[in-house]
Amino acid sequence: MYSLKCIECGKEWGDDHYTCECGGLLEVRMNLDEIEVDFKLDGNNITVWKYKSLLPVKMDPVSLGEGGTPLYRAERLEKETGIRRIYIKHEGLNPSGSFKDRGMTVGVTKAMELGKRAVACASTGNTSASMAMYAAKAGMRAYVLLPAGKVALGKVAQALMHGAKVIAIKGNFDDALRIVREVCEKEGLYLLNSVNPFRPEGQKTIAYEVADEIGVPDRVCLPVGNAGNISAIYKGFRELVEIGLTESMPKMTGIQAEGAAPIYRAFVEGKDDVTPVKNPETIATAIRIGNPVNARKALKAVYDTKGLVEIVSDDEIIAAQKFLAAREGIGVEPASAASVAGLRKLAERGDISPDETVVCVVTGNLLKDPETVVRVCGEPVSVEASMEAVLNSIYNLV
Ligand code: AN7
């Protein structure tokens, strides 16, 4: 049904591995010639598991109803940017409130198949929330390493309440990932970061769902941190072409935060790998990552589709978050708004054609990061409990 191959040297490995002896990441290669695809791209019954025939697991999935997220038309954003068709795929409406659930349902199901009792990850927040939730459903122990003080409150709350052991380290995400990889190696915990080749397999269903609902768009625009998602979505669209279900590829367009942009720098210089950023910083803590493990895959996806990589400032991120929430009714966290901030910038500069159909993937829910909201919107006005006081407030008399 599939094999697990090193993306650098091509060596084949068994299921219970993440990296090759040469240091390369492993990737699932579905045997597309042999697989009997048992779904149609007819827009019906869209969920992650509609596409099980293209997912590398056999057993009944550990599922909480992931996928099938809304694809909204964003008419005010179209008007503002002059781009003909813009859709927003709201991944914040997955069970744990982020796109990570797609990868986790597949990753935790694989952990079950392998007979694992405990899973672990490093996280800027959403991966940990999602992993804790699916581990709870599966009855597994969960261990989470977070960069202390740099994870949005809603995400920490989820990881804690779903029963994970949450450890905040005095370092950044890149440190946490390095350490958790060592811990997993030593203790036999199952690692569920996107270096795990089964995680991106779940995430590629974003591509399937978009193709299922509106066909292949001209461009997919999304925030990039560790670069797992952009690589996974590229893989999903590529597989559909290989099977013959679709004919074209979207231009993969990654948006990074200005202060955490190693992939952007590599793209501008035409390189196929990154120089890590030592002290990444951005208000979008989800993508505060300086040494993205999937960088090589992501750059390949961008070059191969004639896509783009762009950077946005914290101010542009917050402006886009406010626009989406207040003008389109779409509530997302700062990192997610980066995709829209990037699209606005590219459109303004004339880097993308007004004739395009663009899908922006917004990756996490507004409720994930309430502290940033209060910081940028302020607290509610407080008045006496009387109609007069309320009317005065409405008419701005006080
Ligand atoms: C909302 O949770 O890396 O480029 O540890 O939470 O695939 O890393 C989160 C990443 C975008 C970037 N948007 O995706 C983690 C973590 C949101 C995110 C990204 C993340 P990748």
Side-chain angles (χ1 to χ4, degrees):
M1 177 165 116
Y2 67 90
S3 56
L4 209 52
K5 284 202 173 132
C6 173
I7 61 167
E8 305 296 342
C9 74
K11 183 167 178 180
E12 214 168 301
W13 293 85
D15 268 4
D16 204 355
H17 290 87
Y18 322 104
T19 44
C20 181
E21 62 204 354
C22 80
L25 292 177
L26 305 186
E27 186 172 69
V28 172
R29 302 271 172 84
M30 302 303 297
N31 300 334
L32 297 172
D33 301 339
E34 297 161 21
I35 289 172
E36 212 170 295
V37 174
D38 64 359
F39 60 83
K40 288 198 177 68
L41 297 182
D42 57 7
N44 292 325
N45 304 319
I46 296 178
T47 77
V48 166
W49 294 102
K50 170 174 179 176
Y51 314 103
K52 188 170 185 205
S53 52
L54 291 178
L55 296 173
V57 292
K58 292 191 196 76
M59 66 179 272
D60 281 346
V62 179
S63 172
L64 289 158
E66 49 291 322
T69 53
L71 189 64
Y72 301 118
R73 188 84 184 255
E75 281 157 4
R76 293 206 178 85
L77 189 59
E78 288 171 359
K79 208 162 199 180
E80 195 217 45
T81 56
I83 294 170
R84 183 164 302 159
R85 280 192 206 84
I86 302 176
Y87 294 88
I88 308 279
K89 180 87 169 146
H90 196 346
E91 288 295 293
L93 297 179
N94 275 296
S96 82
S98 85
F99 72 103
K100 303 286 182 184
D101 295 343
R102 296 177 184 274
M104 280 306 160
T105 183
V106 173
V108 171
T109 302
K110 182 53 73 178
M112 290 289 270
E113 282 187 4
L114 293 170
K116 305 286 180 183
R117 305 297 315 146
V119 292
C121 69
S123 180
T124 57
N126 280 323
T127 298
S128 67
S130 182
M131 191 189 78
M133 198 176 196
Y134 283 86
K137 178 77 177 169
M140 289 179 192
R141 279 176 290 122
Y143 299 91
V144 165
L145 265 66
L146 305 177
K150 292 292 183 180
V151 176
L153 188 60
K155 306 173 188 180
V156 183
Q158 287 177 293
L160 289 168
M161 189 50 110
H162 286 297
K165 171 87 184 180
V166 180
I167 303 163
I169 64 149
K170 293 172 186 155
N172 61 29
F173 169 82
D174 304 297
D175 300 319
L177 182 56
R178 177 175 43 80
I179 296 166
V180 82
R181 286 176 82 161
E182 289 165 11
V183 170
C184 285
E185 176 99 357
K186 188 158 183 294
E187 300 295 318
L189 303 174
Y190 194 57
L191 180 63
L192 278 173
N193 281 100
S194 58
V195 294
N196 181 310
F198 297 101
R199 270 268 318 274
E201 289 301 296
Q203 285 169 211
K204 76 185 179 184
T205 59
I206 292 176
Y208 298 168
E209 290 192 5
V210 168
D212 207 334
E213 208 162 335
I214 58 163
V216 179
D218 298 309
R219 184 179 303 273
V220 173
C221 200
L222 73 162
V224 171
N226 222 6
N229 208 27
I230 190 169
S231 315
I233 295 174
Y234 166 78
K235 184 174 194 282
F237 279 113
R238 177 61 66 210
E239 286 176 351
L240 293 179
V241 171
E242 281 171 24
I243 296 163
L245 285 174
T246 59
E247 284 168 1
S248 62
M249 290 293 290
K251 295 178 169 66
M252 298 304 300
T253 302
I255 312 298
Q256 296 213 281
E258 211 167 63
I263 295 179
Y264 171 75
R265 308 268 170 246
F267 174 75
V268 169
E269 291 166 15
K271 295 193 175 140
D272 61 4
D273 205 352
V274 294
T275 307
V277 170
K278 281 257 158 32
N279 296 304
E281 206 48 82
T282 164
I283 196 166
T285 51
I287 51 173
R288 184 176 170 272
I289 295 172
N291 189 14
V293 287
N294 297 293
R296 283 172 64 79
K297 283 201 273 180
L299 284 160
K300 181 173 176 299
V302 171
Y303 293 135
D304 186 48
T305 58
K306 301 191 167 55
L308 293 167
V309 185
E310 188 50 83
I311 44 171
V312 288
S313 68
D314 283 358
D315 286 348
E316 289 167 332
I317 287 173
I318 296 302
Q321 186 189 18
K322 285 183 170 172
F323 184 96
L324 275 178
R327 309 263 300 161
E328 297 283 0
I330 300 172
V332 304
E333 66 168 286
S336 311
S339 61
V340 171
L343 179 66
R344 279 171 133 182
K345 200 166 180 176
L346 292 168
E348 197 175 328
R349 226 196 274 131
D351 284 352
I352 62 183
S353 155
D355 295 332
E356 288 191 6
T357 297
V358 181
V359 172
C360 272
V361 182
V362 294
T363 41
N365 197 291
L366 169 67
L367 296 171
K368 293 281 191 171
D369 192 353
E371 289 174 312
T372 299
V373 175
V374 172
R375 202 145 35 93
V376 301
C377 295
E379 298 274 355
V381 273
S382 174
V383 302
E384 294 303 321
S386 73
M387 187 184 75
E388 289 75 15
V390 169
L391 285 179
N392 277 339
S393 179
I394 287 173
Y395 292 112
N396 259 333
L397 299 175
V398 287

